[in-house]
mmCIF file of all heavy atoms in Angstrom:
data_model
loop_
_atom_site.group_PDB
_atom_site.id
_atom_site.type_symbol
_atom_site.label_atom_id
_atom_site.label_comp_id
_atom_site.label_asym_id
_atom_site.label_seq_id
_atom_site.Cartn_x
_atom_site.Cartn_y
_atom_site.Cartn_z
ATOM 1 N N THR A 1 -1.242 6.439 -6.971
ATOM 2 C CA THR A 1 -1.402 5.050 -6.262
ATOM 3 C C THR A 1 -0.020 4.653 -5.683
ATOM 4 O O THR A 1 0.978 4.815 -6.455
ATOM 5 C CB THR A 1 -1.892 4.066 -7.274
ATOM 6 O OG1 THR A 1 -3.165 4.519 -7.771
ATOM 7 C CG2 THR A 1 -2.077 2.715 -6.715
ATOM 8 N N VAL A 2 -0.077 4.064 -4.568
ATOM 9 C CA VAL A 2 1.028 3.426 -3.948
ATOM 10 C C VAL A 2 0.785 1.918 -3.804
ATOM 11 O O VAL A 2 -0.259 1.603 -3.264
ATOM 12 C CB VAL A 2 1.446 4.025 -2.617
ATOM 13 C CG1 VAL A 2 2.499 3.225 -1.931
ATOM 14 C CG2 VAL A 2 1.860 5.522 -2.779
ATOM 15 N N VAL A 3 1.601 1.111 -4.403
ATOM 16 C CA VAL A 3 1.458 -0.345 -4.309
ATOM 17 C C VAL A 3 2.527 -0.922 -3.359
ATOM 18 O O VAL A 3 3.727 -0.791 -3.677
ATOM 19 C CB VAL A 3 1.425 -1.028 -5.663
ATOM 20 C CG1 VAL A 3 1.184 -2.519 -5.548
ATOM 21 C CG2 VAL A 3 0.390 -0.411 -6.587
ATOM 22 N N LEU A 4 2.094 -1.526 -2.308
ATOM 23 C CA LEU A 4 2.998 -2.132 -1.373
ATOM 24 C C LEU A 4 3.185 -3.637 -1.624
ATOM 25 O O LEU A 4 2.251 -4.350 -1.563
ATOM 26 C CB LEU A 4 2.572 -1.917 0.107
ATOM 27 C CG LEU A 4 2.252 -0.480 0.499
ATOM 28 C CD1 LEU A 4 1.652 -0.374 1.894
ATOM 29 C CD2 LEU A 4 3.533 0.352 0.357
ATOM 30 N N ILE A 5 4.462 -4.075 -1.973
ATOM 31 C CA ILE A 5 4.781 -5.384 -2.256
ATOM 32 C C ILE A 5 5.549 -6.020 -1.154
ATOM 33 O O ILE A 5 5.368 -7.110 -0.689
ATOM 34 C CB ILE A 5 5.491 -5.530 -3.548
ATOM 35 C CG1 ILE A 5 4.745 -4.753 -4.678
ATOM 36 C CG2 ILE A 5 5.578 -6.971 -4.037
ATOM 37 C CD1 ILE A 5 5.553 -4.548 -5.988
ATOM 38 N N GLY A 6 6.642 -5.290 -0.747
ATOM 39 C CA GLY A 6 7.594 -5.733 0.270
ATOM 40 C C GLY A 6 6.998 -6.145 1.607
ATOM 41 O O GLY A 6 6.160 -5.381 2.074
ATOM 42 N N LEU A 7 7.489 -7.193 2.225
ATOM 43 C CA LEU A 7 6.955 -7.679 3.526
ATOM 44 C C LEU A 7 8.075 -7.624 4.567
ATOM 45 O O LEU A 7 7.955 -8.347 5.524
ATOM 46 C CB LEU A 7 6.458 -9.094 3.394
ATOM 47 C CG LEU A 7 5.152 -9.325 2.543
ATOM 48 C CD1 LEU A 7 4.953 -10.710 2.215
ATOM 49 C CD2 LEU A 7 3.976 -8.848 3.318
ATOM 50 N N HIS A 8 8.963 -6.654 4.443
ATOM 51 C CA HIS A 8 10.112 -6.722 5.355
ATOM 52 C C HIS A 8 9.713 -6.407 6.771
ATOM 53 O O HIS A 8 10.127 -7.039 7.686
ATOM 54 C CB HIS A 8 11.096 -5.593 4.886
ATOM 55 C CG HIS A 8 12.375 -5.540 5.662
ATOM 56 N ND1 HIS A 8 13.269 -6.600 5.770
ATOM 57 C CD2 HIS A 8 12.876 -4.552 6.480
ATOM 58 C CE1 HIS A 8 14.253 -6.183 6.572
ATOM 59 N NE2 HIS A 8 14.072 -5.027 6.984
ATOM 60 N N GLU A 9 8.921 -5.348 6.955
ATOM 61 C CA GLU A 9 8.487 -4.958 8.340
ATOM 62 C C GLU A 9 6.964 -5.145 8.376
ATOM 63 O O GLU A 9 6.158 -4.757 7.532
ATOM 64 C CB GLU A 9 8.816 -3.563 8.666
ATOM 65 C CG GLU A 9 10.317 -3.329 8.825
ATOM 66 C CD GLU A 9 10.775 -1.864 9.162
ATOM 67 O OE1 GLU A 9 9.929 -1.143 9.375
ATOM 68 O OE2 GLU A 9 11.958 -1.596 9.136
ATOM 69 N N SER A 10 6.546 -5.648 9.558
ATOM 70 C CA SER A 10 5.101 -5.989 9.738
ATOM 71 C C SER A 10 4.214 -4.736 10.023
ATOM 72 O O SER A 10 3.034 -4.673 9.688
ATOM 73 C CB SER A 10 4.809 -7.050 10.803
ATOM 74 O OG SER A 10 5.251 -6.503 12.086
ATOM 75 N N GLU A 11 4.841 -3.692 10.529
ATOM 76 C CA GLU A 11 4.152 -2.491 10.891
ATOM 77 C C GLU A 11 4.945 -1.257 10.457
ATOM 78 O O GLU A 11 6.174 -1.284 10.591
ATOM 79 C CB GLU A 11 3.732 -2.403 12.362
ATOM 80 C CG GLU A 11 2.810 -3.531 12.887
ATOM 81 C CD GLU A 11 2.493 -3.417 14.367
ATOM 82 O OE1 GLU A 11 2.940 -2.438 14.981
ATOM 83 O OE2 GLU A 11 1.800 -4.246 14.905
ATOM 84 N N SER A 12 4.177 -0.258 10.075
ATOM 85 C CA SER A 12 4.852 1.044 9.710
ATOM 86 C C SER A 12 3.898 2.223 10.081
ATOM 87 O O SER A 12 2.735 2.009 9.983
ATOM 88 C CB SER A 12 5.142 1.098 8.229
ATOM 89 O OG SER A 12 6.074 0.162 7.896
ATOM 90 N N VAL A 13 4.464 3.353 10.490
ATOM 91 C CA VAL A 13 3.652 4.553 10.745
ATOM 92 C C VAL A 13 3.694 5.370 9.459
ATOM 93 O O VAL A 13 4.759 5.696 8.957
ATOM 94 C CB VAL A 13 4.311 5.344 11.919
ATOM 95 C CG1 VAL A 13 3.548 6.629 12.069
ATOM 96 C CG2 VAL A 13 4.260 4.543 13.220
ATOM 97 N N LEU A 14 2.542 5.668 9.010
ATOM 98 C CA LEU A 14 2.289 6.385 7.687
ATOM 99 C C LEU A 14 1.578 7.738 7.979
ATOM 100 O O LEU A 14 0.938 7.827 8.933
ATOM 101 C CB LEU A 14 1.565 5.608 6.679
ATOM 102 C CG LEU A 14 2.254 4.262 6.262
ATOM 103 C CD1 LEU A 14 1.299 3.495 5.270
ATOM 104 C CD2 LEU A 14 3.671 4.590 5.623
ATOM 105 N N GLN A 15 1.849 8.646 7.105
ATOM 106 C CA GLN A 15 1.292 9.967 7.143
ATOM 107 C C GLN A 15 -0.130 10.004 6.625
ATOM 108 O O GLN A 15 -0.386 10.396 5.485
ATOM 109 C CB GLN A 15 2.184 11.059 6.423
ATOM 110 C CG GLN A 15 2.590 10.666 5.100
ATOM 111 C CD GLN A 15 3.828 9.762 4.947
ATOM 112 O OE1 GLN A 15 3.923 8.778 5.711
ATOM 113 N NE2 GLN A 15 4.707 10.036 4.037
ATOM 114 N N VAL A 16 -1.048 9.489 7.433
ATOM 115 C CA VAL A 16 -2.410 9.224 6.985
ATOM 116 C C VAL A 16 -3.175 10.578 6.487
ATOM 117 O O VAL A 16 -3.854 10.546 5.470
ATOM 118 C CB VAL A 16 -3.249 8.526 7.967
ATOM 119 C CG1 VAL A 16 -4.723 8.275 7.585
ATOM 120 C CG2 VAL A 16 -2.582 7.122 8.264
ATOM 121 N N ASN A 17 -2.927 11.596 7.209
ATOM 122 C CA ASN A 17 -3.588 12.866 6.791
ATOM 123 C C ASN A 17 -3.200 13.340 5.458
ATOM 124 O O ASN A 17 -4.007 13.791 4.655
ATOM 125 C CB ASN A 17 -3.314 13.995 7.795
ATOM 126 C CG ASN A 17 -4.149 13.909 9.129
ATOM 127 O OD1 ASN A 17 -4.982 12.996 9.204
ATOM 128 N ND2 ASN A 17 -3.926 14.799 9.998
ATOM 129 N N HIS A 18 -1.891 13.082 5.094
ATOM 130 C CA HIS A 18 -1.429 13.415 3.788
ATOM 131 C C HIS A 18 -2.037 12.533 2.706
ATOM 132 O O HIS A 18 -2.472 12.922 1.593
ATOM 133 C CB HIS A 18 0.123 13.294 3.705
ATOM 134 C CG HIS A 18 0.672 13.369 2.309
ATOM 135 N ND1 HIS A 18 0.656 14.537 1.560
ATOM 136 C CD2 HIS A 18 1.266 12.442 1.507
ATOM 137 C CE1 HIS A 18 1.218 14.265 0.344
ATOM 138 N NE2 HIS A 18 1.541 13.053 0.317
ATOM 139 N N ILE A 19 -2.251 11.227 3.044
ATOM 140 C CA ILE A 19 -2.854 10.252 2.176
ATOM 141 C C ILE A 19 -4.292 10.716 1.840
ATOM 142 O O ILE A 19 -4.825 10.685 0.690
ATOM 143 C CB ILE A 19 -2.856 8.856 2.721
ATOM 144 C CG1 ILE A 19 -1.415 8.385 2.844
ATOM 145 C CG2 ILE A 19 -3.696 7.886 2.002
ATOM 146 C CD1 ILE A 19 -1.202 7.082 3.696
ATOM 147 N N ILE A 20 -5.002 11.123 2.913
ATOM 148 C CA ILE A 20 -6.395 11.524 2.860
ATOM 149 C C ILE A 20 -6.465 12.867 1.934
ATOM 150 O O ILE A 20 -7.218 12.917 0.973
ATOM 151 C CB ILE A 20 -7.025 11.736 4.114
ATOM 152 C CG1 ILE A 20 -7.133 10.425 4.875
ATOM 153 C CG2 ILE A 20 -8.418 12.412 4.018
ATOM 154 C CD1 ILE A 20 -7.460 10.561 6.355
ATOM 155 N N ARG A 21 -5.626 13.866 2.304
ATOM 156 C CA ARG A 21 -5.848 15.086 1.623
ATOM 157 C C ARG A 21 -5.279 15.066 0.188
ATOM 158 O O ARG A 21 -5.704 15.947 -0.610
ATOM 159 C CB ARG A 21 -5.054 16.200 2.445
ATOM 160 C CG ARG A 21 -5.675 16.522 3.822
ATOM 161 C CD ARG A 21 -4.786 17.298 4.653
ATOM 162 N NE ARG A 21 -5.526 17.743 5.925
ATOM 163 C CZ ARG A 21 -4.895 17.879 6.993
ATOM 164 N NH1 ARG A 21 -3.519 17.832 7.088
ATOM 165 N NH2 ARG A 21 -5.507 18.164 8.189
ATOM 166 N N SER A 22 -4.464 14.172 -0.102
ATOM 167 C CA SER A 22 -3.976 14.000 -1.475
ATOM 168 C C SER A 22 -4.675 12.875 -2.278
ATOM 169 O O SER A 22 -4.343 12.648 -3.452
ATOM 170 C CB SER A 22 -2.497 13.707 -1.500
ATOM 171 O OG SER A 22 -1.786 14.723 -0.795
ATOM 172 N N GLU A 23 -5.659 12.364 -1.640
ATOM 173 C CA GLU A 23 -6.480 11.185 -2.281
ATOM 174 C C GLU A 23 -5.559 10.139 -2.879
ATOM 175 O O GLU A 23 -5.710 9.742 -4.095
ATOM 176 C CB GLU A 23 -7.391 11.765 -3.268
ATOM 177 C CG GLU A 23 -8.572 12.635 -2.595
ATOM 178 C CD GLU A 23 -9.706 12.826 -3.646
ATOM 179 O OE1 GLU A 23 -9.611 12.604 -4.768
ATOM 180 O OE2 GLU A 23 -10.831 13.284 -3.119
ATOM 181 N N ILE A 24 -4.569 9.762 -2.151
ATOM 182 C CA ILE A 24 -3.581 8.756 -2.556
ATOM 183 C C ILE A 24 -4.212 7.371 -2.330
ATOM 184 O O ILE A 24 -4.699 7.124 -1.247
ATOM 185 C CB ILE A 24 -2.252 8.851 -1.923
ATOM 186 C CG1 ILE A 24 -1.583 10.222 -2.331
ATOM 187 C CG2 ILE A 24 -1.403 7.715 -2.226
ATOM 188 C CD1 ILE A 24 -0.290 10.508 -1.564
ATOM 189 N N ARG A 25 -4.306 6.494 -3.302
ATOM 190 C CA ARG A 25 -4.733 5.230 -3.198
ATOM 191 C C ARG A 25 -3.606 4.264 -2.672
ATOM 192 O O ARG A 25 -2.598 4.306 -3.365
ATOM 193 C CB ARG A 25 -5.310 4.671 -4.417
ATOM 194 C CG ARG A 25 -6.667 5.328 -4.878
ATOM 195 C CD ARG A 25 -7.210 4.939 -6.173
ATOM 196 N NE ARG A 25 -6.361 5.435 -7.216
ATOM 197 C CZ ARG A 25 -6.580 6.665 -7.784
ATOM 198 N NH1 ARG A 25 -7.562 7.406 -7.332
ATOM 199 N NH2 ARG A 25 -5.835 7.095 -8.738
ATOM 200 N N LEU A 26 -3.874 3.599 -1.651
ATOM 201 C CA LEU A 26 -2.830 2.689 -0.998
ATOM 202 C C LEU A 26 -3.241 1.323 -1.170
ATOM 203 O O LEU A 26 -4.392 1.043 -0.658
ATOM 204 C CB LEU A 26 -2.565 3.153 0.475
ATOM 205 C CG LEU A 26 -1.416 2.592 1.195
ATOM 206 C CD1 LEU A 26 -0.129 3.081 0.598
ATOM 207 C CD2 LEU A 26 -1.462 2.960 2.719
ATOM 208 N N ALA A 27 -2.515 0.463 -1.851
ATOM 209 C CA ALA A 27 -2.949 -0.865 -2.104
ATOM 210 C C ALA A 27 -1.829 -1.883 -1.763
ATOM 211 O O ALA A 27 -0.660 -1.583 -1.991
ATOM 212 C CB ALA A 27 -3.404 -1.069 -3.561
ATOM 213 N N GLY A 28 -2.172 -2.985 -1.275
ATOM 214 C CA GLY A 28 -1.301 -4.095 -1.102
ATOM 215 C C GLY A 28 -1.432 -5.091 -2.373
ATOM 216 O O GLY A 28 -2.369 -5.139 -2.979
ATOM 217 N N ALA A 29 -0.263 -5.686 -2.711
ATOM 218 C CA ALA A 29 -0.263 -6.670 -3.665
ATOM 219 C C ALA A 29 0.430 -7.999 -3.201
ATOM 220 O O ALA A 29 1.517 -8.008 -2.753
ATOM 221 C CB ALA A 29 0.588 -6.183 -4.902
ATOM 222 N N PHE A 30 -0.433 -8.997 -3.137
ATOM 223 C CA PHE A 30 0.021 -10.281 -2.535
ATOM 224 C C PHE A 30 -0.020 -11.439 -3.539
ATOM 225 O O PHE A 30 -1.149 -11.704 -4.051
ATOM 226 C CB PHE A 30 -0.788 -10.611 -1.292
ATOM 227 C CG PHE A 30 -0.488 -11.941 -0.632
ATOM 228 C CD1 PHE A 30 0.774 -12.109 0.015
ATOM 229 C CD2 PHE A 30 -1.252 -12.962 -0.791
ATOM 230 C CE1 PHE A 30 1.050 -13.284 0.529
ATOM 231 C CE2 PHE A 30 -0.959 -14.219 -0.250
ATOM 232 C CZ PHE A 30 0.167 -14.430 0.423
ATOM 233 N N ALA A 31 1.003 -12.139 -3.765
ATOM 234 C CA ALA A 31 1.024 -13.315 -4.586
ATOM 235 C C ALA A 31 0.430 -12.968 -5.975
ATOM 236 O O ALA A 31 0.785 -11.987 -6.651
ATOM 237 C CB ALA A 31 0.409 -14.456 -3.873
ATOM 238 N N TYR A 32 -0.494 -13.838 -6.439
ATOM 239 C CA TYR A 32 -1.001 -13.770 -7.799
ATOM 240 C C TYR A 32 -2.130 -14.791 -7.938
ATOM 241 O O TYR A 32 -2.288 -15.676 -7.076
ATOM 242 C CB TYR A 32 0.109 -14.270 -8.836
ATOM 243 C CG TYR A 32 0.960 -15.434 -8.230
ATOM 244 C CD1 TYR A 32 0.545 -16.789 -8.253
ATOM 245 C CD2 TYR A 32 2.138 -15.195 -7.497
ATOM 246 C CE1 TYR A 32 1.126 -17.791 -7.749
ATOM 247 C CE2 TYR A 32 2.803 -16.224 -6.880
ATOM 248 C CZ TYR A 32 2.342 -17.544 -7.034
ATOM 249 O OH TYR A 32 3.063 -18.563 -6.321
ATOM 250 N N THR A 33 -2.884 -14.647 -9.033
ATOM 251 C CA THR A 33 -3.968 -15.563 -9.350
ATOM 252 C C THR A 33 -3.471 -16.499 -10.414
ATOM 253 O O THR A 33 -2.296 -16.302 -11.015
ATOM 254 C CB THR A 33 -5.196 -14.785 -9.931
ATOM 255 O OG1 THR A 33 -4.695 -14.288 -11.192
ATOM 256 C CG2 THR A 33 -5.573 -13.699 -8.936
ATOM 257 N N PRO A 34 -4.128 -17.586 -10.726
ATOM 258 C CA PRO A 34 -3.676 -18.460 -11.847
ATOM 259 C C PRO A 34 -3.583 -17.725 -13.206
ATOM 260 O O PRO A 34 -2.636 -18.003 -13.941
ATOM 261 C CB PRO A 34 -4.781 -19.563 -11.856
ATOM 262 C CG PRO A 34 -5.266 -19.671 -10.448
ATOM 263 C CD PRO A 34 -5.210 -18.219 -9.974
ATOM 264 N N GLN A 35 -4.437 -16.795 -13.389
ATOM 265 C CA GLN A 35 -4.300 -15.937 -14.552
ATOM 266 C C GLN A 35 -3.055 -15.116 -14.627
ATOM 267 O O GLN A 35 -2.406 -15.013 -15.686
ATOM 268 C CB GLN A 35 -5.563 -15.013 -14.808
ATOM 269 C CG GLN A 35 -5.498 -14.068 -15.901
ATOM 270 C CD GLN A 35 -5.514 -14.838 -17.171
ATOM 271 O OE1 GLN A 35 -6.154 -15.897 -17.352
ATOM 272 N NE2 GLN A 35 -4.953 -14.325 -18.268
ATOM 273 N N ASP A 36 -2.716 -14.576 -13.505
ATOM 274 C CA ASP A 36 -1.438 -13.780 -13.427
ATOM 275 C C ASP A 36 -0.273 -14.717 -13.723
ATOM 276 O O ASP A 36 0.697 -14.370 -14.397
ATOM 277 C CB ASP A 36 -1.263 -13.254 -12.037
ATOM 278 C CG ASP A 36 -2.369 -12.226 -11.631
ATOM 279 O OD1 ASP A 36 -2.828 -11.459 -12.514
ATOM 280 O OD2 ASP A 36 -2.732 -12.150 -10.431
#
């Protein structure tokens, strides 16, 4: 799993074929809930 937190650049080119073939889970993490 890759968790993206930083918001430095709005766009990035990623190696999508590698993500697919390696079944990598790509997730964003934004802010928090009241429970967090």
Side-chain angles (χ1 to χ4, degrees):
T1 300
V2 173
V3 182
L4 304 177
I5 311 169
L7 291 165
H8 183 65
E9 294 180 8
S10 61
E11 296 182 3
S12 296
V13 175
L14 297 177
Q15 50 277 44
V16 177
N17 283 358
H18 171 67
I19 293 170
I20 294 169
R21 290 170 179 151
S22 300
E23 291 193 349
I24 293 170
R25 288 176 288 276
L26 194 62
F30 175 72
Y32 39 81
T33 67
Q35 178 62 33
D36 298 326

